Amino acid sequence: FYTDGIIEAAAADGRQFGTRRLDSILAHFCRETPPEIVEAILREVAEFTNGSAPTDDRSLVVAHVL
């Protein structure tokens, strides 16, 4: 689960992070632990936005199915 602050995080040129980037991260890190997945997503969002302050909340919930 994620809030729109993740996918609507904007780069300096106005492009949004988007669901495709999020899907790509999830596909790449799908075998990692939930904390590692959260860390990867937040790191990628921060890099995409060049570390700018969030303009909206950025919340994530990652669950591991046993």
Side-chain angles (χ1 to χ4, degrees):
F1 301 101
Y2 57 89
T3 60
D4 61 348
I6 297 294
I7 59 170
E8 293 178 357
D13 63 5
R15 290 177 299 122
Q16 291 187 343
F17 190 76
T19 56
R20 287 186 183 176
R21 281 186 182 83
L22 181 58
D23 290 345
S24 176
I25 296 166
L26 292 172
H28 185 75
F29 287 90
C30 66
R31 299 200 190 286
E32 304 300 328
T33 66
E36 291 169 325
I37 294 169
V38 167
E39 182 180 322
I41 293 168
L42 293 177
R43 182 178 58 246
E44 292 293 326
V45 169
E47 286 178 19
F48 182 79
T49 62
N50 200 26
S52 64
T55 58
D56 197 357
D57 68 294
R58 293 180 183 166
S59 300
L60 294 163
V61 176
V62 177
H64 180 82
V65 177
L66 300 174

